[in-house]
Structures are given as C-alpha cells and as structure tokens.
Amino acid sequence: MIIAVAGTGYVGLSMATLLAQHHKVLAVDIVPEKVEMINRRQSPIQDEYIEKYFAEKQLDLTATLDAEMAYKEAEIVVIAAPTNYDIQKNYFDTSAVESVIEVVLRVNPQAIMVIKSTIPVGYTESVRKKFGTENILFSPEFLRESKALYDNLYPSRIIVGYPKMIEQFGEENDAIKAIAGNHLKEAAHTFAQLLQQGALKPDIDVLYMGLKEAEAVKLFANTYLALRVSYFNELDTYAEIKGLDTQAIIEGVGLDPRIGTHYNNPSFGYGG
C-alpha cells in the first residue's frame, strides 16, 4: 500500500516511520531542509526511537516537497498538519489541515484521508460537508514529544472515528448510505490494522466510534492530564509553603489505586 503523510513533526514523522516498515510512505513537508534530512535518514526532531529506526531499519520512506505527486499516488493520506490554538479567535487554526484536503481532493478524490491533528469536536464532520466528500476519518494521537515513535510502537490504545450514519444523502437514498457507510467502516478497520501491523505491543485495545466521540476522547484526555498536572503542582506549592516533604505526600496519595503513581510529578509539562 502507498501511504502519504502530510507533515513531519512529532505526529507525522513518527507515523511515517511506523508505517514505512511495511508500506511505501511518502512524507510531505514544506521545509526543504527537513525533507533533505529525512531522505539522508537524519531525524529533524529529537526522538530516540526515530533516530534508532532511521539508523537500523529498512524503511520504505521518502520525504518530498511535491504534495500533489505524493497524494496522487496514495491510497491513504494521513493528515498531521499543525493546528495551533489561536487565543484571539478562541479556536484551533485548522487552515493547514484544510489546505491538505483541498489538494487531495483535486488530485486524488478517491483517497481516504485520516486526520491525526488535534481538532475541535465536530470539525471532521464540518469539513466533510464543506468539501463535499465522505472520505475523511479521524484518529486521535496520544504521543509524547521525544517519545512519539515509542508511543506508536507501544500504544495505550488505537481509536478510529468514522461516521456511523451518512447524513449528506437524503432518506430516499438508503442504499447509497449503506454502501458509503460500509466503505468507511472498512477504511477505519484498515487504518487500525496498519497501526497494529507496525506496532510492537501485542493485544492493543482498538476502539471504533463516531467522529465526534473520537474527537472528544482526544480533548478530554488532554484536559484530564492538564488538570492532573495542575493538581500536583498545587500540592507541591502547598507543601513548600508549609515546609512539608512533597514526595512523601505524593507517594502516599499515589498509592491509592484510584489515583495511581503515573503523571504525578509537579512540572510545567505533563508531570511524567
């Protein structure tokens, strides 16, 4: 299978490396220096496992600036474009994602697109309607910077969202709706199988759900982790003010199995 990956940040490059173990992967970026580095098997990002795989594995991976060529050849296009949160607009900047969709639809409208970027709930359905295409799925990523490929090799879970009902056809077209629904369900299962094929972890939990539910999983997981870090930061602040031993308190709290001992270090990040 030929797969194109749009974007070579942590999400895109780790995904491209994972899939290139068994399939031809074309990684698309707009920065010539990054493309050249990847083709020399030098990672443009700091990630121990990507560097290791570049040095030791036979990967069918080619980076390119030619997006049209890559998308035209691909059966699946993984969209890992940046979607930074715009504080002024109070919304994710999804312009890069939509730029990829526009090019794919122009050169290869039959390709299945899988959004891996972080997006708001309801976004995937909105762009499906905006661009008049069924062929967009959403699969949230759960990766850490510098450990992105590791987290793809040993994923906590694989989630793929696809539309459970095809609403853009009228009720009089039930047959068309059924065909489209089966096609997208099959595409969702195919993508999950690709991720499983490249992973090292056995017996990965795989969940299939609606598009909005899959989008919500990503955002609520991020929110919970942020709240957890904030909680332990507050615990640390209290202990410091009162002259208490932070680690002793955290150990005592974390041994409650309902709380656990992961992600409980006071920090600016995710408390890992």
Side-chain angles (χ1 to χ4, degrees):
M1 180 179 289
I2 301 177
I3 304 165
V5 178
T8 62
Y10 283 102
V11 176
L13 189 56
S14 64
M15 186 64 52
T17 305
L18 180 86
L19 297 172
Q21 296 175 91
H22 302 287
H23 301 275
K24 179 178 180 180
V25 176
L26 302 169
V28 178
D29 206 287
I30 60 174
V31 181
E33 293 78 12
K34 292 180 71 174
V35 168
E36 292 168 6
M37 287 183 70
I38 294 168
N39 288 332
R40 292 197 305 267
R41 293 298 183 263
Q42 295 177 326
S43 177
I45 59 177
Q46 182 180 354
D47 187 295
E48 179 185 353
Y49 270 76
I50 290 177
E51 293 164 4
K52 179 181 176 67
Y53 271 53
F54 273 15
E56 300 176 2
K57 300 287 185 178
Q58 291 292 325
L59 302 173
D60 193 352
L61 172 62
T62 303
T64 180
L65 297 168
D66 191 343
E68 290 194 5
M69 176 277 294
Y71 304 154
K72 189 173 184 179
E73 291 190 30
E75 296 173 59
I76 294 177
V77 178
V78 179
I79 303 176
T83 53
N84 297 323
Y85 194 80
D86 190 321
I87 298 176
Q88 293 183 337
K89 294 181 179 179
N90 197 31
Y91 198 76
F92 292 92
D93 181 359
T94 57
S95 57
V97 172
E98 294 183 26
S99 294
V100 174
I101 294 172
E102 288 175 348
V103 176
V104 173
L105 290 177
R106 185 170 70 248
V107 302
N108 186 6
Q110 300 306 312
I112 294 292
M113 291 169 272
V114 182
I115 297 176
K116 272 281 180 184
S117 307
T118 300
I119 52 176
V121 174
Y123 176 77
T124 307
E125 189 58 49
S126 73
V127 290
R128 283 161 47 83
K129 291 179 179 178
K130 176 179 179 179
F131 291 101
T133 180
E134 305 160 16
N135 295 338
I136 306 177
L137 309 178
F138 176 73
S139 178
E141 52 81 17
F142 306 102
L143 310 178
R144 297 167 292 176
E145 290 189 6
S146 301
K147 294 186 177 180
L149 180 54
Y150 178 90
D151 289 339
N152 271 317
L153 293 168
Y154 299 93
S156 56
R157 69 280 206 202
I158 292 171
I159 295 176
V160 186
Y162 69 97
K164 299 290 182 146
M165 295 184 66
I166 311 303
E167 298 174 352
Q168 55 263 54
F169 303 110
E171 291 183 2
E172 69 278 7
N173 291 312
D174 286 341
I176 296 176
K177 289 165 70 176
I179 292 170
N182 288 335
H183 168 63
L184 294 171
K185 181 178 180 180
E186 182 180 333
H189 282 256
T190 296
F191 185 70
Q193 288 163 8
L194 292 175
L195 301 184
Q196 289 173 290
Q197 182 185 37
L200 296 176
K201 179 183 176 181
D203 302 322
I204 304 165
D205 289 321
V206 181
L207 303 176
Y208 302 98
M209 60 186 68
L211 292 168
K212 292 180 181 179
E213 287 78 8
E215 294 164 340
V217 167
K218 170 62 177 174
L219 296 179
F220 277 103
N222 281 2
T223 302
Y224 175 79
L225 290 173
L227 289 171
R228 190 175 173 94
V229 171
S230 297
Y231 173 83
F232 283 103
N233 282 344
E234 288 298 314
L235 184 157
D236 181 54
T237 299
Y238 177 85
E240 201 170 304
I241 291 172
K242 299 295 185 179
L244 306 177
D245 184 340
T246 296
Q247 289 306 315
I249 301 170
I250 289 176
E251 183 179 6
V253 170
L255 287 175
D256 185 324
R258 298 169 299 176
I259 298 173
T261 57
H262 296 288
Y263 295 99
N264 59 10
N265 294 320
S267 71
F268 290 106
Y270 279 120

